[in-house]
PDB file of all heavy atoms in Angstrom:
ATOM      1  N   ALA A1329     -10.021   6.220  -2.218  1.00  0.00           N
ATOM      2  CA  ALA A1329      -9.410   7.082  -1.228  1.00  0.00           C
ATOM      3  C   ALA A1329     -10.460   7.823  -0.404  1.00  0.00           C
ATOM      4  O   ALA A1329     -10.269   8.146   0.773  1.00  0.00           O
ATOM      5  CB  ALA A1329      -8.510   8.101  -1.954  1.00  0.00           C
ATOM      6  N   ALA A1330     -11.623   8.119  -1.008  1.00  0.00           N
ATOM      7  CA  ALA A1330     -12.689   8.828  -0.300  1.00  0.00           C
ATOM      8  C   ALA A1330     -13.509   7.864   0.635  1.00  0.00           C
ATOM      9  O   ALA A1330     -13.879   8.232   1.725  1.00  0.00           O
ATOM     10  CB  ALA A1330     -13.625   9.476  -1.340  1.00  0.00           C
ATOM     11  N   ARG A1331     -13.689   6.669   0.165  1.00  0.00           N
ATOM     12  CA  ARG A1331     -14.559   5.696   0.912  1.00  0.00           C
ATOM     13  C   ARG A1331     -13.778   4.836   1.885  1.00  0.00           C
ATOM     14  O   ARG A1331     -14.361   4.225   2.823  1.00  0.00           O
ATOM     15  CB  ARG A1331     -15.351   4.873  -0.051  1.00  0.00           C
ATOM     16  CG  ARG A1331     -16.333   5.786  -0.883  1.00  0.00           C
ATOM     17  CD  ARG A1331     -16.958   5.054  -2.072  1.00  0.00           C
ATOM     18  NE  ARG A1331     -17.661   5.982  -2.924  1.00  0.00           N
ATOM     19  CZ  ARG A1331     -18.255   5.718  -4.024  1.00  0.00           C
ATOM     20  NH1 ARG A1331     -18.272   4.462  -4.469  1.00  0.00           N
ATOM     21  NH2 ARG A1331     -18.899   6.664  -4.745  1.00  0.00           N
ATOM     22  N   HIS A1332     -12.413   4.735   1.686  1.00  0.00           N
ATOM     23  CA  HIS A1332     -11.546   3.996   2.585  1.00  0.00           C
ATOM     24  C   HIS A1332     -10.302   4.756   2.730  1.00  0.00           C
ATOM     25  O   HIS A1332      -9.224   4.373   2.379  1.00  0.00           O
ATOM     26  CB  HIS A1332     -11.280   2.589   1.899  1.00  0.00           C
ATOM     27  CG  HIS A1332     -12.448   1.742   1.620  1.00  0.00           C
ATOM     28  ND1 HIS A1332     -13.029   0.913   2.569  1.00  0.00           N
ATOM     29  CD2 HIS A1332     -13.209   1.647   0.470  1.00  0.00           C
ATOM     30  CE1 HIS A1332     -14.118   0.361   2.071  1.00  0.00           C
ATOM     31  NE2 HIS A1332     -14.279   0.772   0.802  1.00  0.00           N
ATOM     32  N   PRO A1333     -10.402   5.886   3.377  1.00  0.00           N
ATOM     33  CA  PRO A1333      -9.231   6.835   3.490  1.00  0.00           C
ATOM     34  C   PRO A1333      -8.080   6.244   4.194  1.00  0.00           C
ATOM     35  O   PRO A1333      -6.915   6.652   3.877  1.00  0.00           O
ATOM     36  CB  PRO A1333      -9.855   8.065   4.248  1.00  0.00           C
ATOM     37  CG  PRO A1333     -11.063   7.543   4.890  1.00  0.00           C
ATOM     38  CD  PRO A1333     -11.641   6.472   4.033  1.00  0.00           C
ATOM     39  N   ASP A1334      -8.245   5.332   5.092  1.00  0.00           N
ATOM     40  CA  ASP A1334      -7.112   4.753   5.774  1.00  0.00           C
ATOM     41  C   ASP A1334      -6.370   3.778   4.990  1.00  0.00           C
ATOM     42  O   ASP A1334      -5.321   3.238   5.398  1.00  0.00           O
ATOM     43  CB  ASP A1334      -7.606   4.083   7.100  1.00  0.00           C
ATOM     44  CG  ASP A1334      -8.103   5.038   8.130  1.00  0.00           C
ATOM     45  OD1 ASP A1334      -7.689   6.253   8.058  1.00  0.00           O
ATOM     46  OD2 ASP A1334      -8.909   4.678   9.000  1.00  0.00           O
ATOM     47  N   SER A1335      -6.905   3.375   3.819  1.00  0.00           N
ATOM     48  CA  SER A1335      -6.233   2.327   2.959  1.00  0.00           C
ATOM     49  C   SER A1335      -5.203   2.894   1.997  1.00  0.00           C
ATOM     50  O   SER A1335      -4.419   2.130   1.483  1.00  0.00           O
ATOM     51  CB  SER A1335      -7.351   1.615   2.149  1.00  0.00           C
ATOM     52  OG  SER A1335      -8.162   0.909   2.990  1.00  0.00           O
ATOM     53  N   VAL A1336      -5.264   4.217   1.725  1.00  0.00           N
ATOM     54  CA  VAL A1336      -4.403   4.774   0.651  1.00  0.00           C
ATOM     55  C   VAL A1336      -3.382   5.697   1.242  1.00  0.00           C
ATOM     56  O   VAL A1336      -3.678   6.609   2.000  1.00  0.00           O
ATOM     57  CB  VAL A1336      -5.286   5.516  -0.338  1.00  0.00           C
ATOM     58  CG1 VAL A1336      -4.448   6.195  -1.426  1.00  0.00           C
ATOM     59  CG2 VAL A1336      -6.301   4.594  -0.965  1.00  0.00           C
ATOM     60  N   GLY A1337      -2.150   5.517   0.804  1.00  0.00           N
ATOM     61  CA  GLY A1337      -1.035   6.423   1.229  1.00  0.00           C
ATOM     62  C   GLY A1337      -0.951   7.681   0.439  1.00  0.00           C
ATOM     63  O   GLY A1337      -0.841   8.792   0.989  1.00  0.00           O
ATOM     64  N   LYS A1338      -1.051   7.563  -0.869  1.00  0.00           N
ATOM     65  CA  LYS A1338      -1.097   8.707  -1.800  1.00  0.00           C
ATOM     66  C   LYS A1338      -1.901   8.363  -2.970  1.00  0.00           C
ATOM     67  O   LYS A1338      -2.034   7.132  -3.296  1.00  0.00           O
ATOM     68  CB  LYS A1338       0.348   9.070  -2.259  1.00  0.00           C
ATOM     69  CG  LYS A1338       1.301   9.602  -1.185  1.00  0.00           C
ATOM     70  CD  LYS A1338       2.663   9.976  -1.818  1.00  0.00           C
ATOM     71  CE  LYS A1338       3.526  10.622  -0.732  1.00  0.00           C
ATOM     72  NZ  LYS A1338       4.832  11.085  -1.315  1.00  0.00           N
ATOM     73  N   LEU A1339      -2.475   9.290  -3.711  1.00  0.00           N
ATOM     74  CA  LEU A1339      -3.268   9.083  -4.852  1.00  0.00           C
ATOM     75  C   LEU A1339      -2.892  10.050  -5.998  1.00  0.00           C
ATOM     76  O   LEU A1339      -2.793  11.246  -5.829  1.00  0.00           O
ATOM     77  CB  LEU A1339      -4.749   9.304  -4.533  1.00  0.00           C
ATOM     78  CG  LEU A1339      -5.708   9.279  -5.688  1.00  0.00           C
ATOM     79  CD1 LEU A1339      -5.769   7.895  -6.356  1.00  0.00           C
ATOM     80  CD2 LEU A1339      -7.128   9.765  -5.260  1.00  0.00           C
ATOM     81  N   MET A1340      -2.650   9.433  -7.135  1.00  0.00           N
ATOM     82  CA  MET A1340      -2.411  10.220  -8.334  1.00  0.00           C
ATOM     83  C   MET A1340      -3.482   9.914  -9.368  1.00  0.00           C
ATOM     84  O   MET A1340      -3.708   8.739  -9.666  1.00  0.00           O
ATOM     85  CB  MET A1340      -1.074   9.920  -8.972  1.00  0.00           C
ATOM     86  CG  MET A1340      -0.811  10.643 -10.317  1.00  0.00           C
ATOM     87  SD  MET A1340       0.842  10.449 -10.992  1.00  0.00           S
ATOM     88  CE  MET A1340       1.786  11.655 -10.016  1.00  0.00           C
ATOM     89  N   VAL A1341      -4.195  10.958  -9.814  1.00  0.00           N
ATOM     90  CA  VAL A1341      -5.230  10.792 -10.765  1.00  0.00           C
ATOM     91  C   VAL A1341      -4.719  11.324 -12.163  1.00  0.00           C
ATOM     92  O   VAL A1341      -4.178  12.450 -12.217  1.00  0.00           O
ATOM     93  CB  VAL A1341      -6.488  11.605 -10.382  1.00  0.00           C
ATOM     94  CG1 VAL A1341      -7.564  11.592 -11.459  1.00  0.00           C
ATOM     95  CG2 VAL A1341      -7.021  11.097  -9.084  1.00  0.00           C
ATOM     96  N   VAL A1342      -4.789  10.487 -13.177  1.00  0.00           N
ATOM     97  CA  VAL A1342      -4.295  10.860 -14.438  1.00  0.00           C
ATOM     98  C   VAL A1342      -5.343  11.110 -15.462  1.00  0.00           C
ATOM     99  O   VAL A1342      -6.101  10.293 -15.901  1.00  0.00           O
ATOM    100  CB  VAL A1342      -3.377   9.768 -15.055  1.00  0.00           C
ATOM    101  CG1 VAL A1342      -2.758  10.159 -16.324  1.00  0.00           C
ATOM    102  CG2 VAL A1342      -2.266   9.357 -14.000  1.00  0.00           C
ATOM    103  N   ASP A1343      -5.522  12.438 -15.752  1.00  0.00           N
ATOM    104  CA  ASP A1343      -6.494  12.913 -16.762  1.00  0.00           C
ATOM    105  C   ASP A1343      -7.897  12.497 -16.572  1.00  0.00           C
ATOM    106  O   ASP A1343      -8.538  11.835 -17.425  1.00  0.00           O
ATOM    107  CB  ASP A1343      -6.017  12.550 -18.184  1.00  0.00           C
ATOM    108  CG  ASP A1343      -6.423  13.599 -19.193  1.00  0.00           C
ATOM    109  OD1 ASP A1343      -6.406  14.821 -18.837  1.00  0.00           O
ATOM    110  OD2 ASP A1343      -6.845  13.232 -20.327  1.00  0.00           O
ATOM    111  N   MET A1344      -8.473  12.863 -15.405  1.00  0.00           N
ATOM    112  CA  MET A1344      -9.860  12.568 -15.099  1.00  0.00           C
ATOM    113  C   MET A1344     -10.424  13.571 -14.169  1.00  0.00           C
ATOM    114  O   MET A1344      -9.721  14.043 -13.279  1.00  0.00           O
ATOM    115  CB  MET A1344      -9.947  11.161 -14.437  1.00  0.00           C
ATOM    116  CG  MET A1344     -11.383  10.631 -14.279  1.00  0.00           C
ATOM    117  SD  MET A1344     -12.166  10.543 -15.874  1.00  0.00           S
ATOM    118  CE  MET A1344     -13.588   9.553 -15.532  1.00  0.00           C
TER     119      MET A1344
END
Side-chain angles (χ1 to χ4, degrees):
R1331 299 169 187 177
H1332 301 273
D1334 293 337
S1335 295
V1336 178
K1338 293 184 177 183
L1339 171 64
M1340 176 176 279
V1341 177
V1342 183
D1343 211 39
M1344 190 58 166

